[in-house]
């Protein structure tokens, strides 16, 4: 019964009008933000997605409500002959942001979709809080849409150090691995530049799960927001 309720919630996310946002907009700022860009490689929480990825994200904020949608072209994903051109990753996310004992906190819902059979679908309920010196994010219930479906949980802690950010994350349930990332971002003439260095204790791609084979990676990204 719980999974039926959860899937109904995510169905609502999919069919509701999508306007997306990033951050808390002031009364004088534009609540809509669109970002287009390119990544040398696309990794999500220590899991490889594809090389040479172009993307577009749109986000929208209204008071405590935060909505976002993203599309990433994964046609250069390297996975052998079983992967076809035209693959894509679509993400839909919404959160409600509030103060809990003066700590910025959120509750979020997410739906991740792949095209052309790259992977199964994912649905998530998440919570998080920003304690200024560090922030925590947790997927308290993740639904990996296999047959039968598999549950997973995710936890990560991020420590901002000026333009550099350190992240430590773990997975349990359907996957079990740990990853660490150090990222750097800056903006030059309205162009967003980023570098990300990471390592996990598994290849985190599903082909040899829980092998404990260390994997390191480095990526470069460039984007423009308007």
């Amino acid at each position: 019964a719980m999974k039926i309720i959860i899937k109904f919630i995510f169905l609502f996310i999919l069919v509701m009008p999508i306007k997306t946002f990033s951050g808390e907009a002031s009364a004088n700022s534009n609540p809509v933000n669109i970002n287009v860009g390119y990544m040398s490689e696309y990794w999500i929480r220590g899991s490889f997605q594809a090389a040479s990825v172009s993307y577009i994200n749109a986000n929208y904020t209204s008071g405590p409500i935060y909505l976002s949608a993203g599309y990433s072209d994964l046609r250069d994903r390297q996975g052998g002959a079983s992967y076809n051109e035209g693959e894509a990753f679509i993400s839909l996310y919404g959160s409600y942001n509030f103060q809990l004992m003066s700590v910025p906190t959120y509750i979020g819902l997410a739906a991740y979709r792949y095209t052309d059979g790259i992977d199964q679908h994912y649905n998530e309920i998440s919570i998080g809080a920003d304690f200024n010196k560090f922030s925590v994010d947790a997927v308290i219930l993740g639904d990996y849409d296999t047959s039968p479906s598999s549950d997973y949980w995710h936890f990560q802690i991020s420590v901002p150090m000026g333009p550099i950010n350190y992240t430590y994350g773990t997975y349990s349930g359907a996957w079990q691995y740990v990853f660490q990332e150090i990222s750097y971002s800056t903006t030059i003439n309205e162009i967003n530049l980023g570098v990300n260095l990471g390592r996990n204790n598994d290849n985190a791609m599903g082909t040899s799960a829980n092998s404990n084979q260390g994997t390191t990676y480095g990526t470069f990204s460039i984007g423009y927001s308007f």
Side-chain angles (χ1 to χ4, degrees), residues 96-113:
Y96 181 80
N97 302 271
F98 57 96
Q99 298 279 332
L100 181 62
M101 299 179 64
S102 300
V103 176
T105 307
Y106 77 87
I107 298 176
L109 299 174
Y112 303 121
R113 299 292 181 262

Side-chain angles (χ1 to χ4, degrees), residues 18-222:
I18 293 299
K19 298 178 180 178
T20 63
F21 104 3
S22 177
E24 296 184 5
S26 67
N28 297 322
S29 65
N30 187 345
V32 178
N33 176 268
I34 298 175
N35 179 264
V36 295
Y38 168 85
M39 293 176 286
S40 60
E41 290 185 352
Y42 189 13
W43 290 72
I44 299 177
R45 299 172 184 164
S47 175
F48 176 77
Q49 302 296 299
S52 187
V53 174
S54 56
Y55 68 88
I56 179 169
N57 296 319
N59 30 70
Y60 168 84
T61 183
S62 178
I65 303 300
Y66 169 60
L67 303 173
S68 71
Y71 177 92
S72 301
D73 182 354
L74 306 185
R75 70 184 63 206
D76 287 328
R77 180 182 174 98
Q78 298 175 1
S82 61
Y83 296 106
N84 302 314
E85 291 188 358
E87 300 160 336
F89 173 70
I90 300 169
S91 62
L92 301 174
Y93 176 79
S95 69
Y96 181 80
N97 302 271
F98 57 96
Q99 298 279 332
L100 181 62
M101 299 179 64
S102 300
V103 176
T105 307
Y106 77 87
I107 298 176
L109 299 174
Y112 303 121
R113 299 292 181 262
Y114 291 86
T115 65
D116 296 333
I118 303 175
D119 201 347
Q120 306 296 327
H121 301 325
Y122 301 79
N123 302 312
E124 296 180 349
I125 297 176
S126 61
I127 60 173
D130 186 348
F131 297 94
N132 192 20
K133 294 185 180 297
F134 68 94
S135 62
V136 295
D137 300 274
V139 174
I140 59 174
L141 182 57
D143 177 35
Y144 184 40
D145 194 18
T146 53
S147 182
S149 63
S150 304
D151 294 335
Y152 64 92
W153 300 267
H154 168 67
F155 172 83
Q156 73 177 39
I157 180 170
S158 298
V159 182
M161 298 173 285
I164 297 176
N165 191 71
Y166 168 78
T167 299
Y168 175 90
T170 66
Y171 263 106
S172 59
W175 315 278
Q176 298 181 27
Y177 67 91
V178 174
F179 69 91
Q180 299 181 72
E181 292 184 347
I182 296 176
S183 58
Y184 170 83
S185 61
T186 187
T187 301
I188 301 176
N189 294 329
E190 299 184 348
I191 301 297
N192 306 314
L193 302 174
V195 175
N196 188 50
L197 302 177
R199 178 179 177 84
N200 60 38
N201 70 335
D202 199 340
N203 67 8
M205 291 179 61
T207 55
S208 56
N210 307 320
S211 63
N212 291 319
Q213 299 296 311
T215 301
T216 59
Y217 51 93
T219 68
F220 169 79
S221 64
I222 182 170

